[in-house]
Amino acid sequence: MNFYDKVYRITKLVPRGKVATYGQIAAALGSPRAARMVGMALSHCSDTEVPWQRVINRYGMISIENMIITKDEQVKRLAADEVEITLQDGNYFVDLAAYLIDSEQLLVLNTYPVT
DNA sequence: CGATTGACGTTAA
DNA sequence: TTTAACGCCAATC
């Protein structure tokens, strides 16, 4: 299984109404320092079943800047997930204290078989 | 085909 | 404490 598929499989485990960070996804698939690749994989995501909007950076900020997928698109999708978004200084933020997945759910990601 | 470049996060200085 | 460097590795240049 290639790196991208691992990213997609883990991302699909993030429940609706919650968010995870790039680092958490990277750690769950076995490469704790490969957070950048997670973002790259999601940017190339062609699988519409992957809830890519639930993956954000560790400050809770929406850090998209490319033109294929816009920040507004992600915000819109998060709103559909019932995740509250706040606008600060031109950037969108998610309240991690309220919406980041808890340790129990994180354990599920970490114990998911990724071989 | 080598070099650069990211939806990032940790470690070193 | 604040800033710089580096790891990650596929894709693009």
Side-chain angles (χ1 to χ4, degrees), chain A residues 32-46:
Chain A
R33 314 198 175 163
R36 298 182 79 161
M37 297 338 123
V38 175
M40 183 170 290
L42 294 179
S43 74
H44 286 246
C45 136
S46 51

Side-chain angles (χ1 to χ4, degrees), chain A residues 50-114:
Chain A
V50 177
W52 52 266
Q53 72 275 15
R54 294 173 195 162
V55 185
I56 57 184
N57 76 12
R58 99 167 169 134
Y59 300 110
M61 192 181 79
I62 307 298
S63 53
I64 278 183
E65 283 300 344
N66 75 61
M67 43 220 81
I68 302 169
I69 302 168
T70 65
K71 291 186 207 175
D72 288 337
E73 176 65 18
Q74 184 166 14
V75 169
K76 186 178 174 184
R77 281 167 158 263
L78 284 171
D81 278 350
E82 295 175 6
V83 171
E84 186 181 357
I85 306 295
T86 55
L87 182 58
Q88 264 181 59
D89 199 36
N91 287 113
Y92 292 106
F93 285 83
V94 172
D95 182 358
L96 291 182
Y99 297 103
L100 188 63
I101 60 177
D102 57 45
S103 58
E104 190 178 335
Q105 292 166 328
L106 188 57
L107 182 62
V108 173
L109 305 198
N110 281 308
T111 54
Y112 195 76
V114 284

Side-chain angles (χ1 to χ4, degrees), chain A residues 7-23:
Chain A
V7 173
Y8 300 147
R9 286 178 68 178
I10 299 295
T11 302
K12 285 181 181 176
L13 300 179
V14 181
R16 179 170 178 278
K18 290 289 181 180
V19 297
T21 68
Y22 297 103

